Amino acid sequence: MARRDPLAKALDELAELQRAGASVAGMARVRGYLGDKSPHAVGKAVKVARKWGASELAGELVAVFGRAMTSADPGCEIKAAVAEAMCEWMAPEGRAVFEKGIRHRQFEPIHVPPWRVDVAAGLRGWCALGLVAIGHAEQVGLILPLLVDPERDPRVFAARALSQAGVEAAEMLLRLKALQGDAEEEVT
């Protein structure tokens, strides 16, 4: 009898947990997977926690984010999933995640020119929205560089975040960006 791939087994179990919905036993299993050695299993566990609205795991997700900053995270999957969850939950614990993530760049190789791509673009965008969600005192200054980010997604997220900030400085930046224009219509 062939042995089953442990990653496939983990991903199948996490998919089943997500379908079943939150429970005490399920939460214990998700917590276990947050410490898994496979970044794919960890990323899926974070997504399950987010889908469940399990904001009581916010502190654990901050720790997961910290580990992902210093270890393998293909496609920036873990970091982006943590930032998205923290943003949705408006979790104050997400402050450190948002402050680090908004500046993060992660280049991975591709098979066509320019031979590498920044896979952290979505992470930077979610962090912009998160800073606004938690009412970070320096949100406008931290989001500003994203308006000129070389990647499309951070510019779109930055415009969306600034439009939700509710402060005059954000409104002025959006007006300036509209006057300046952008290659992407969604940004202006």
Side-chain angles (χ1 to χ4, degrees):
M1 182 175 177
R3 291 190 62 193
R4 184 141 186 244
D5 174 29
L7 175 58
K9 182 180 177 200
L11 294 177
D12 287 348
E13 181 179 3
L14 285 161
E16 182 54 41
L17 286 167
Q18 183 172 333
R19 277 190 296 276
S23 67
V24 173
M27 194 69 71
R29 293 298 301 144
V30 167
R31 273 193 167 103
Y33 281 118
L34 290 175
D36 199 271
K37 64 182 178 184
S38 165
H40 301 293
V42 174
K44 180 65 176 172
V46 171
K47 290 174 184 174
V48 171
R50 189 193 108 249
K51 176 115 170 132
W52 285 352
S55 58
E56 64 271 21
L57 296 178
E60 291 170 64
L61 294 192
V62 171
V64 165
F65 183 88
R67 287 192 307 274
M69 289 292 282
T70 59
S71 61
D73 181 14
C76 209
E77 178 184 355
I78 297 169
K79 293 183 284 287
V82 169
E84 189 174 350
M86 293 292 174
C87 180
E88 280 185 18
W89 300 338
M90 293 189 269
E93 299 92 334
R95 179 185 174 111
V97 167
F98 303 142
E99 290 173 346
K100 290 177 184 159
I102 200 161
R103 296 178 177 99
H104 186 67
R105 299 209 184 290
Q106 181 173 323
F107 294 96
E108 293 185 3
I110 55 176
H111 300 288
V112 295
W115 307 111
R116 66 184 196 147
V117 65
D118 182 1
V119 294
L123 167 65
R124 293 193 299 279
W126 279 109
C127 289
L129 290 172
L131 290 167
V132 171
I134 65 168
H136 193 289
E138 298 171 25
Q139 62 189 343
V140 174
L142 291 167
I143 295 169
L144 172 62
L146 296 189
L147 284 175
V148 294
D149 196 282
E151 301 292 330
R152 172 194 169 277
D153 286 352
R155 295 193 316 272
V156 171
F157 275 100
R160 188 179 319 152
L162 289 171
S163 73
Q164 296 171 11
V167 295
E168 188 176 354
E171 182 182 336
M172 295 297 120
L173 284 174
L174 287 173
R175 287 182 183 187
L176 178 62
K177 186 64 178 174
L179 290 170
Q180 176 193 24
D182 194 280
E184 300 293 331
E185 191 175 302
E186 284 182 85
V187 177
T188 56

